[in-house]
């Protein structure tokens, strides 16, 4: 049996890197630079294309709710109502979807039998593949009709709460209906990320809690939820980003109206994305540039949301 002297083996010089390492490092660095360049390019495009309409605008862009931009002389438009509707619809969707997504993820990981968990996981992932126009058709063709009696009940017994004050819309095309549809759309995103985070909880943490006499719920509360909190927040922010930018489903459900209203059971409000989709085919004069300026506001809102999510997650690194 022959042996090889370690001193005679060929080694790469310590200061020299292999070609594969160099290519991989360069590709990773280039990808990071590329995404920054794309982000900067999108921001530059939005700023440059919206400059003409903003310079000619005779109204306050941030506080005005009217939209008279399809003209070549003295346009007057603002994004106040659109920004309010965008944030309101996304907030409703997030409030409705996040608790349900956490419950589904906990059931799949810690309660459901293995076969049922696999089927449920597949069905949840399948929801993310449904086009938004299908959600819009489902919402306008079936959901709003079914919700009309529920809205009347809410107005009857909880009308003293400003959010549920009447009169109730007879069509059901309200901000609450749009928020419910958006909640269903972002549910698979939050559920998938939350489920993956719960699967990463160290087994030693769970077994230690159970060994101390904790019930399954106490184990989840003490060991699983603290560990998965950054992932839950990250998934919720991803879902919020999807809800902020959703276009077709919201445009099909909401009645176009540029008002600022907190009344969830009344027709009114509109989102930036839906407004752009509805107005773009007929935009003339400063109209296109004005719609791009509204898109710039949506871009800024999304950027702020993602930065806030990163800040919240970074403050909880001890659970990561």
């Amino acid at each position: 049996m022959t042996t090889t002297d370690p001193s005679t083996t060929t080694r790469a010089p310590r200061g020299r890197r292999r070609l594969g390492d160099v290519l991989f490092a360069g590709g990773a660095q280039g990808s990071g630079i590329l995404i920054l360049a794309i982000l900067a390019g999108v921001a530059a495009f939005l700023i440059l294309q919206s400059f003409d309409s903003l310079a000619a605008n005779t109204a306050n862009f941030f506080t005005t709710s009217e939209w008279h931009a399809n003209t070549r002389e003295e346009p007057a438009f603002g994004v106040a109502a659109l920004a309010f509707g965008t944030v309101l619809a996304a907030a409703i969707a997030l409030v409705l979807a996040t608790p349900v997504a956490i419950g589904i993820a906990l059931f799949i990981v810690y309660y459901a039998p293995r076969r049922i968990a696999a089927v449920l996981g597949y069905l949840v992932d399948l929801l993310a593949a449904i086009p938004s126009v299908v959600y819009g058709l489902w919402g306008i063709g079936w959901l709003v009709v079914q919700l009309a009696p529920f809205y009347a009940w809410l107005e009857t017994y909880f009308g003293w709460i400003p959010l549920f004050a009447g009169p109730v819309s007879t069509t059901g095309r309200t901000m609450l209906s749009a928020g419910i549809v958006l909640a269903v759309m972002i549910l698979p995103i939050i559920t998938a990320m939350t489920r993956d985070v719960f699967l990463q909880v160290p087994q030693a943490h769970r077994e230690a809690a159970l060994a101390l006499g904790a019930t399954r719920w106490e184990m989840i509360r003490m060991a699983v939820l603290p560990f998965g909190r950054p992932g839950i927040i990250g998934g919720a922010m991803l879902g919020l980003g999807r809800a902020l930018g959703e276009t077709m489903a919201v445009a099909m459900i909401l009645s176009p109206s540029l008002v600022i209203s907190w009344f969830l059971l009344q027709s009114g409000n509109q989102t930036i994305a839906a407004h752009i989709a509805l107005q773009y085919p007929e935009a003339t004069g400063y109209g296109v540039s004005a719609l791009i300026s509204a898109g710039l506001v949506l871009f800024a809102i999304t950027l702020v949301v993602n930065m806030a999510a990163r800040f919240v997650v970074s403050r909880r690194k001890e659970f990561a």
Side-chain angles (χ1 to χ4, degrees):
M1 181 176 179
T2 59
T3 59
T4 304
D5 186 1
S7 60
T8 62
T9 58
T10 303
R11 296 181 179 178
R14 181 168 299 180
R16 183 178 179 183
R17 301 172 61 186
R18 295 185 177 181
L19 178 61
D21 295 337
V22 174
L23 293 177
F24 180 80
Q29 184 177 7
S31 300
I33 296 175
L34 178 63
I35 192 63
L36 292 177
I38 293 175
L39 185 64
V42 171
F45 167 80
L46 294 174
I47 293 173
L48 293 176
Q49 294 296 321
S50 62
F51 180 78
D52 292 340
S53 61
L54 292 177
N57 189 13
T58 58
N60 191 312
F61 179 67
F62 295 104
T63 60
T64 303
S65 298
E66 61 179 329
W67 194 272
H68 303 291
N70 294 332
T71 177
R72 297 187 180 277
E73 296 181 0
E74 297 185 352
F77 58 92
V79 77
L82 296 174
F84 175 82
T86 300
V87 175
L88 181 60
I92 294 172
L94 190 66
V95 170
L96 295 177
T98 302
V100 178
I102 295 174
I104 294 174
L106 289 174
F107 178 74
I108 291 175
V109 177
Y110 295 108
Y111 287 93
R114 183 171 300 179
R115 291 184 179 180
I116 297 179
V119 174
L120 285 177
Y122 174 76
L123 293 177
V124 170
D125 295 337
L126 186 62
L127 287 175
I130 299 177
S132 60
V133 66
V134 176
Y135 282 110
L137 290 172
W138 168 71
I140 192 64
W142 183 84
L143 182 64
V144 295
V145 178
Q146 305 301 319
L147 289 176
F150 174 68
Y151 289 167
W153 180 85
L154 277 180
E155 194 271 335
T156 301
Y157 294 98
F158 296 95
W160 52 273
I161 301 176
L163 292 176
F164 304 130
V168 177
S169 172
T170 57
T171 62
R173 302 177 65 179
T174 65
M175 183 59 72
L176 184 57
S177 299
I180 293 174
V181 174
L182 288 177
V184 176
M185 296 180 68
I186 68 176
L187 185 63
I189 299 175
I190 305 176
T191 302
M193 177 164 286
T194 306
R195 179 189 60 195
D196 292 340
V197 171
F198 288 164
L199 287 172
Q200 300 301 319
V201 177
Q203 186 176 358
H205 292 188
R206 304 196 304 267
E207 292 180 350
L210 294 174
L212 292 174
T215 62
R216 183 176 297 185
W217 160 243
E218 290 173 338
M219 179 270 293
I220 291 174
R221 182 170 56 87
M222 293 187 298
V224 176
L225 293 180
F227 182 90
R229 189 174 291 115
I232 296 173
I233 296 174
M237 292 302 104
L238 284 177
L240 180 60
R242 168 72 187 276
L244 288 170
E246 179 52 42
T247 303
M248 187 55 64
V250 178
M252 296 173 68
I253 295 173
L254 287 181
S255 300
S257 178
L258 297 180
V259 297
I260 298 178
S261 174
W262 290 94
F263 305 125
L264 303 183
L265 305 183
Q266 301 179 17
S267 297
N269 292 325
Q270 184 62 282
T271 66
I272 294 177
H275 180 75
I276 293 174
L278 294 174
Q279 294 292 325
Y280 188 83
E282 302 176 357
T284 58
Y286 287 104
V288 175
S289 179
L291 292 176
I292 294 177
S293 66
L296 178 61
V297 175
L298 180 60
F299 178 82
I301 293 174
T302 306
L303 187 63
V304 170
V305 167
N306 282 276
M307 292 177 62
R310 295 289 299 178
F311 175 75
V312 172
V313 173
S314 65
R315 294 191 62 182
R316 299 185 176 275
K317 288 183 178 179
E318 65 269 19
F319 297 115

